[in-house]
Amino acid sequence: MKILGIESSCDETSAAVVDDGAKLLSNVVASQIEIHKEYGGVVPEIAARNHIEAIIPVINKALTEAKCSWDDIDAIAVTRGPGLSGALLIGTLTARTLALAKKKPLYGVNHVEGHVYANWLIEPKPEFPVLALICSGLHTELVLFKNHGEHQMLGHTRDDAVGEAFDKVARIIGLPYPGGPAIQAAAKAGDPHAFKFPVAKLDTPYEFSFSGLKTAVLRQVQSLCGKDYDFPSFNLAELLSESQRNDLAASFQYGAVKTLVDKTMLAHKEFQPKTVIIGGGVAASAELRRQLTEALPIEINYAPISLCTDNAAMIATLGYYESQRREPDDPNTLKIDPSLSL
Ligand code: KG4
Ligand code: ZN
């Protein structure tokens, strides 16, 4: 069963064709990162406008690269949330129109769950129960999947998502958007133990909090620069030396990742899953992979980076598993849900 996946929840326009939820035939991603870089983050209206321009060429390219015509496509899966409303509307309206015009079943799926399903595109396939650490620009969650479509939320972030913290800290120390890859690059030349940033102490074991860590970095930068609260924070970065910037990047990255790994370890101990998987843009982090591999007693398989950041292959894969257990959505009425939860 060949599924065309469509993803447009944030700043990537993507289309992919996946066979039987396992075989990747194409995965085309048009990234808007260069456009949003100038503003230091994603501008929703600009994202929506660029999705409009990119979406049809991206879908055509995905079909061509998969060597498929519309006759070969059995169903369409599209992200219906969570994400930016305008961006989600472009993807879902395109998918609804195509489903009606080409007479294909349509499945509206959850973007965050999609990040988890990227792991069904690699071998060996995850075995239930699966413990998933989902960490992206909008989400930080530990979820236990007992089967397809059957999951238990163990905990999520109370404030900033971990990816959001990477992006905000990058801005404070003068690194470009998106913060994750920029901090990873700077951290290579820095000392992860140069600064000790506080870890949020929460009374619930699987919840996260990253806003205190972000503020601690800001306070450290103010102190290094000899400036206080009155000094504009966006002017601090230029006062930092290269080595201070690298040490700040390395120490923040080490601390943020350690929190993710400590909580994943705790959940692994309590729930004894057969497989642990990570998903979402922050799953691309080399430091996260290093710390997790070192700490976990079981082997962990990592998806390639192209399947960790936003992509439609994960949406097509999740669409396949949904098609095995439920009726399709009505293309006349499928709605977006910008705050859709798992
Ligand atoms: O999943 P994603 O592509 O988009 C959302 O659904 O949010 O995640 C984007 C996030 C950004 O915050 C970005 O800084 C982060 O993933 N990211 C990383 C790395 N690569 C991307 N964070 C840490 N280390 C990385 N190597
Ligand atoms: Zn995402």
Side-chain angles (χ1 to χ4, degrees), residues 98-138:
L98 287 170
L100 287 168
K102 308 288 183 189
K103 299 190 174 46
K104 307 289 176 187
L106 175 67
Y107 295 87
V109 305
N110 184 309
H111 175 87
V112 178
E113 198 173 356
H115 274 303
V116 173
Y117 273 79
N119 290 276
W120 265 264
L121 283 166
I122 57 169
E123 293 293 341
K125 303 265 176 270
E127 269 186 80
F128 294 109
V130 170
L131 174 66
L133 168 68
I134 306 168
C135 39
S136 73
L138 292 173

Side-chain angles (χ1 to χ4, degrees), residues 61 112 115 132 145 147 154 158 167 185 246 250 254 280 298 327 338:
K61 195 163 180 228
V112 178
H115 274 303
F145 283 79
N147 208 331
L154 303 180
R158 285 190 184 177
D167 296 338
N246 294 341
Y254 177 82
I298 58 172
E327 291 302 309

Side-chain angles (χ1 to χ4, degrees), residues 218-219 221-232 235-236 239:
L218 176 61
R219 298 286 172 260
V221 174
Q222 285 167 333
S223 140
L224 286 170
C225 300
K227 301 287 179 191
D228 61 15
Y229 306 91
D230 293 336
F231 191 79
N235 287 343
L236 283 167
L239 303 178

